[in-house]
Amino acid sequence: MDVPEGKKIYFSSDNHLGAPTKDLSFPREKKFVAWLDNIKEDAAAIFLLGDLFDFWFEYKTVVPKGFTRTLGKLAEITDSGIPVYYFVGNHDLWMNGYFEEELNIPVYHQPQSFLLNGKSFLIGHGDGLGPGDKGYKRMKKVFTNPVSKWLYNWLHPDFGVKLAQYLSVKNKMISGDEDIKFLGEENEWLVQYCRRKLEQQHYDYFVFGHRHLPLEIPLNEKSTYVNLGDWISYYTYGEFDGASLSLKKYEPSEG
């Protein structure tokens, strides 16, 4: 994908809309929609790296109620011809066609490589990658198992969605949620994952979310690991101008 002169590619992750309640997350949603409205003026593409929602499950004819402003803005952006790419996170991994059919947004369940203006990227949410965290990896296999999804689908949406939202907030269901502290380069499992990938193939940038920490860590002279932070505490995002990727903080102008 080429980046035309004057255009940029944007990356965002971890909004967790709906947490801890829809009312309390509403100001964050409005801020995110304002950011989308702002970047659509010069966006060549937008990558959303998961956990846009704190819980998402698609029944055959039902999706969770709410988030109308976010979904409407994404539809407006894709209708205008700007491509949007979505990577499921551990809180919204039960996506099954709605984004593709209604919003024209391709959805990825695993990290994907992209060539953007001649720079190689490996992009994903980041959960379950690297060494350790075996308990979460086992739990993720249960939740992504087709039998588990089929059984959950038989719950009435009013009960199923409410139950999952409660568990997601109160008990961190399918979260694999670590303490939001920088562990040091040698102990950050996504850094270790990136370094192992570099033994197999070169990437200029590894871009992930999930950790809720804005991080830019050089892996060697030519490769960098970037974690996008979140839209809860940091309101950070990635901006690629065709030559380099950098982290920015969204601070809307007043008035």
Side-chain angles (χ1 to χ4, degrees):
M1 179 191 303
D2 292 330
V3 181
E5 186 175 352
K7 297 289 186 177
K8 298 173 182 177
I9 295 177
Y10 292 95
F11 302 83
S12 172
S13 186
D14 291 276
N15 300 74
H16 289 268
L17 298 179
T21 66
K22 287 185 178 179
D23 287 343
L24 290 174
S25 78
F26 184 60
R28 296 191 291 107
E29 180 177 12
K30 289 181 68 177
K31 194 170 184 177
F32 179 65
V33 170
W35 175 73
L36 289 172
D37 205 40
N38 180 263
I39 67 169
K40 72 180 183 182
E41 302 302 324
D42 66 358
I46 300 170
F47 288 80
L48 302 177
L49 271 58
D51 285 356
L52 178 60
F53 312 105
D54 199 58
F55 172 74
W56 183 269
F57 184 89
E58 295 179 18
Y59 292 84
K60 186 174 182 180
T61 58
V62 175
V63 296
K65 182 178 179 180
F67 319 117
T68 303
R69 290 161 183 81
T70 297
L71 296 173
K73 183 57 64 176
L74 291 174
E76 175 191 328
I77 287 172
T78 58
D79 284 351
S80 74
I82 300 170
V84 178
Y85 304 89
Y86 196 87
F87 292 78
V88 300
N90 47 299
H91 281 251
D92 49 18
L93 51 82
W94 280 331
M95 289 191 165
N96 189 32
Y98 183 78
F99 267 41
E100 294 96 329
E101 294 164 11
E102 294 295 324
L103 304 177
N104 195 28
I105 294 176
V107 173
Y108 302 98
H109 292 260
Q110 299 293 335
Q112 300 289 320
S113 59
F114 288 82
L115 189 64
L116 306 176
N117 227 46
K119 299 287 186 179
S120 53
F121 285 70
L122 187 65
I123 301 169
H125 180 64
D127 61 309
L129 302 179
D133 206 5
K134 294 180 180 179
Y136 167 69
K137 291 176 181 176
R138 286 193 294 268
M139 189 178 294
K140 184 176 180 179
K141 286 183 179 180
V142 171
F143 284 113
T144 55
N145 186 285
V147 175
S148 299
K149 291 191 286 185
W150 180 82
L151 290 171
Y152 195 87
N153 190 65
W154 281 97
L155 294 176
H156 188 282
D158 285 350
F159 177 75
V161 172
K162 188 166 289 188
L163 172 65
Q165 288 172 334
Y166 173 81
L167 292 173
S168 183
V169 172
K170 299 297 183 183
N171 298 325
K172 302 186 186 305
M173 186 189 78
I174 65 172
S175 68
D177 200 19
E178 308 82 6
D179 291 333
I180 303 175
K181 298 176 182 177
F182 180 57
L183 303 176
E185 290 187 23
E186 297 306 315
N187 296 314
E188 285 284 340
W189 38 267
L190 274 172
V191 173
Q192 296 177 49
Y193 170 81
C194 295
R195 286 180 171 151
R196 291 181 182 179
K197 294 296 287 186
L198 283 174
E199 295 175 2
Q200 306 165 12
Q201 182 177 343
H202 169 75
Y203 291 98
D204 294 292
Y205 293 103
F206 296 84
V207 188
F208 295 105
H210 187 59
R211 285 287 281 118
H212 289 237
L213 285 172
L215 299 171
E216 294 181 88
I217 298 177
L219 301 168
N220 59 34
E221 301 82 11
K222 297 182 178 180
S223 298
T224 303
Y225 157 61
V226 175
N227 198 283
L228 297 173
D230 66 18
W231 285 77
I232 301 170
S233 301
Y234 296 102
Y235 300 94
T236 45
Y237 62 93
E239 181 182 289
F240 179 62
D241 62 6
S244 62
L245 174 66
S246 58
L247 283 176
K248 306 281 187 179
K249 181 179 177 67
Y250 181 57
E251 297 177 296
S253 58
E254 307 218 351

